[in-house]
């Protein structure tokens, strides 16, 4: 049987208990399978296609058809960074428009099976939107705790529309997660669905399975890092495929943090064995405005084991990547997701790529989530009289339009 394992101190426990973090050292627990307990027998669509690799079956799952997201082949930006092939895994195509839905279907199904009265999370926005949708689907209460004034409007409106109760705190995400975790750990009724919940990681690891089925094993995969659950999940998925002999090699991971919220990047660059938390994280990419990532240790391990690299990008680099993705590829994502490409761009100027690599950039959330950021791109807008002449006169680049 799979069991909880603490990758830090070796604590082991049965999945019968409800546990999130290690009772000995406080690190998030991992659901660990023996090789012989895993078989890669994809069947059906989306996250539950990989039930044979998950700790619970898809029977009676609380699902909104999450997963099964598309890879977009880059048509322009791959040349700029100088690789053979660049693909964007568009997680914005999930039902609530972020990758969180992959983990949420598994975690909320578990909550439902346990008879939890409600689910709760701390969130920079996307987890809140996802929780709210799956709680609605399950018919249980949803509570989301968010940093006041620091969540993109689309995400907040999603949570509101799905009927969740929204609690704003006068603090940041790290404060929210600390308070919410300790509340959930004292309560039988409230089930915690942040990424310190090991079932979240299980759902999210299916991203790796989809990439494998679509294109095999890329040379590099870049992924934005906030609380570090997703990079943990991505690596777990690939390692499991490798351990059971399905995949013959492993990708190298590129973890991207925003400069103002980059404790894992700093630890990596300094060769440190632990992170120095950032007390006042700040970045335009509000989704990853996180100073004390819960899964930092597993993220560092993933980067080091994969012979990967951490990179930090400025807000300017993020917003430039954001506009490049939308205006040159037609792929509109939120700033935290654009960090994924910003990191590749930065590493390419530092000479990381040789020219023939296959690279996948994980784009974690949809652009419509964050209209405040879209409002910052250069405007090409005019208001004119409702006449043919006025409109023709207002067209700024006639050479392209009247070709
Ligand atoms: C678009 O919603 O933490 O490294 O509370 O929304 O697994 O935290 C969101 C994180 C990247 C980082 N991209 O993933 C939350 C939250 C987007 C995100 C991340 C988030 P992790």
């Amino acid at each position: 049987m799979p069991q909880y394992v603490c990758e830090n101190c070796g604590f082991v426990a049965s999945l019968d208990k409800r546990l999130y973090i290690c009772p000995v050292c406080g690190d998030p627990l991992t659901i660990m399978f023996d090789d012989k307990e895993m078989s890669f027998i994809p069947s059906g669509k989306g996250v539950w296609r990989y039930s044979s690799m998950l700790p619970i079956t898809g029977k009676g799952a609380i699902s909104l058809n999450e997963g099964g997201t598309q890879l977009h082949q880059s048509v322009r930006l791959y040349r700029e960074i100088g690789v053979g092939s660049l693909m964007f895994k568009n997680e914005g195509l999930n039902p609530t428009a972020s990758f969180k839905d992959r983990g949420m279907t598994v975690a909320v199904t578990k909550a439902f099976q346990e008879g939890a009265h409600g689910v709760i999370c701390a969130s920079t926005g996307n987890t809140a939107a996802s929780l709210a949708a799956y709680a609605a689907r399950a018919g249980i209460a949803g509570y989301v705790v968010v940093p006041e004034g620091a969540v993109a409007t689309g995400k907040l409106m999603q949570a509101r529309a799905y009927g969740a109760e929204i609690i704003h705190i006068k603090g940041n995400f790290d404060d929210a997660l600390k308070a919410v975790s300790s509340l959930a750990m004292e309560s039988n009724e409230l089930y915690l669905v942040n990424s310190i919940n090991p079932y979240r990681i299980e759902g999210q690891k299916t991203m790796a399975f989809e990439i494998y089925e679509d294109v095999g094993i890329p040379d590099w995969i870049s992924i934005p890092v906030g609380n570090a659950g997703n990079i943990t999940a991505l690596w777990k998925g690939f390692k499991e495929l490798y351990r059971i002999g399905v995949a013959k090699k492993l990708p190298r991971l590129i973890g991207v943090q925003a400069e103002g919220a980059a404790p894992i990047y700093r630890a990596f660059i300094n060769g440190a064995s632990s992170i120095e938390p950032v007390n006042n994280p700040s970045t335009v990419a509000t989704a990853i405005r996180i100073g004390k990532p819960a899964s930092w240790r597993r993220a560092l391990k993933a980067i080091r084991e994969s012979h990967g690299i951490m990179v930090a990008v400025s807000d300017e680099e993020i917003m430039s990547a954001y506009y490049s993705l939308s205006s040159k590829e037609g792929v509109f994502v939120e700033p935290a997701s654009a960090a994924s490409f910003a990191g590749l761009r930065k590493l390419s100027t530092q000479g990381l790529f040789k020219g023939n690599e296959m690279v996948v950039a994980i784009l974690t959330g949809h652009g419509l989530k964050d209209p405040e950021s879209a409002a910052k791109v250069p405007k090409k807008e005019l208001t004119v009289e409702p006449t043919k002449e006025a409109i023709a006169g207002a067209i700024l680049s006639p050479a392209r339009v009247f070709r």
Side-chain angles (χ1 to χ4, degrees):
M1 291 290 281
Q3 50 189 3
Y4 293 121
V5 172
C6 174
E7 294 184 53
N8 182 39
C9 75
F11 168 85
V12 174
S14 152
L15 294 189
D16 298 342
K17 296 184 204 130
R18 185 192 292 177
L19 287 174
Y20 309 105
I21 61 171
C22 174
V24 179
C25 74
D27 254 35
L29 291 168
T30 300
I31 295 177
M32 210 59 95
F33 299 79
D34 280 341
D35 291 2
K36 57 183 180 309
E37 290 166 346
M38 290 184 284
S39 52
F40 193 64
I41 312 170
S43 157
K45 287 183 176 170
V47 164
W48 297 100
R49 173 175 175 75
Y50 306 104
S51 297
S52 68
M53 300 288 280
L54 295 174
I56 56 178
T57 71
K59 236 180 161 185
I62 309 300
S63 171
L64 289 160
N65 303 335
E66 51 292 316
T69 58
Q70 305 292 302
L71 285 169
H72 306 300
Q73 186 80 48
S74 164
V75 289
R76 295 194 181 81
L77 295 174
Y78 77 100
R79 274 199 215 107
E80 185 196 316
I81 65 164
V83 295
S85 158
L86 170 63
M87 281 163 284
F88 304 114
K89 183 141 178 84
N90 190 355
E91 289 292 291
L93 300 179
N94 273 295
T96 77
S98 86
F99 71 94
K100 305 285 182 183
D101 297 341
R102 289 180 187 276
M104 206 57 73
T105 184
V106 179
V108 173
T109 297
K110 180 73 180 155
F112 187 76
Q113 289 173 351
E114 285 192 15
H117 293 207
V119 284
I120 189 167
C121 72
S123 180
T124 58
N126 279 326
T127 303
S130 185
L131 173 153
Y134 285 83
R137 186 83 182 165
I140 60 181
Y143 308 98
V144 306
V145 182
V146 296
E148 184 181 38
V151 175
T153 303
K155 304 173 187 181
L156 215 48
M157 293 309 110
Q158 283 180 291
R160 193 182 286 176
Y162 288 125
E165 289 187 27
I166 303 173
I167 298 150
H168 303 263
I169 61 149
K170 298 178 193 309
N172 61 31
F173 169 84
D174 304 295
D175 303 324
L177 182 58
K178 188 169 173 221
V180 167
S181 319
S182 71
L183 175 68
M185 282 171 212
E186 287 167 13
S187 160
N188 264 331
E189 274 95 61
L190 280 179
Y191 188 79
L192 180 68
V193 296
N194 277 102
S195 63
I196 61 169
N197 182 318
Y199 288 88
R200 276 275 312 275
I201 303 296
E202 291 304 299
Q204 287 172 213
K205 78 184 180 186
T206 59
M207 231 173 6
F209 302 159
E210 288 178 11
I211 293 171
Y212 170 75
E213 284 204 271
D214 285 345
V215 296
I217 304 295
D219 298 303
W220 294 96
I221 302 182
S222 76
I223 181 168
V225 177
N227 211 25
N230 211 25
I231 191 170
T232 299
L234 185 71
W235 187 234
K236 186 174 198 284
F238 279 111
K239 269 205 332 196
E240 288 179 351
L241 287 179
Y242 184 76
R243 275 172 44 204
I244 60 176
V246 171
K248 307 294 180 223
K249 59 172 197 163
L250 288 164
R252 299 175 74 177
L253 300 188
I254 296 170
V256 190
Q257 292 202 291
E259 268 174 10
I264 301 176
Y265 162 77
R266 297 248 146 67
F268 176 79
I269 291 299
N270 297 330
S273 57
S274 62
I275 60 157
E276 204 62 61
V278 174
N279 286 327
N280 292 304
S282 116
T283 165
V284 66
T286 51
I288 52 173
R289 191 183 281 170
I290 295 174
K292 296 178 193 149
S295 295
W296 66 265
R297 198 188 304 273
R298 294 186 296 183
L300 269 182
K301 195 170 150 199
I303 292 289
R304 287 172 179 156
E305 277 182 7
S306 77
H307 307 288
I309 189 165
M310 286 294 303
V311 59
V313 290
S314 67
D315 281 0
E316 214 179 357
E317 288 163 336
I318 289 172
M319 290 313 288
S320 160
Y322 171 87
Y323 192 47
S324 294
L325 284 167
S326 53
S327 65
K328 296 189 174 158
E329 299 277 5
V331 179
F332 182 33
V333 300
E334 65 171 281
S337 311
S340 188
F341 177 67
L344 291 177
R345 195 178 241 170
K346 188 158 196 165
L347 292 170
S348 100
T349 64
Q350 296 169 6
L352 181 70
F353 304 118
K354 308 221 164 15
N356 55 359
E357 292 90 342
M358 186 208 289
V359 182
V360 171
I362 310 277
L363 303 179
T364 44
H366 201 285
L368 287 173
K369 293 230 175 216
D370 189 346
E372 293 90 347
S373 292
K376 288 182 198 150
V377 307
K379 268 209 223 174
K380 300 183 190 170
E381 290 170 36
L382 275 181
T383 303
V384 298
E385 294 304 314
T387 65
K388 181 177 92 178
E389 293 73 21
I391 293 168
I395 286 175
L396 300 172
S397 41
R400 296 187 64 146
V401 173
F402 298 117
R403 194 167 34 186

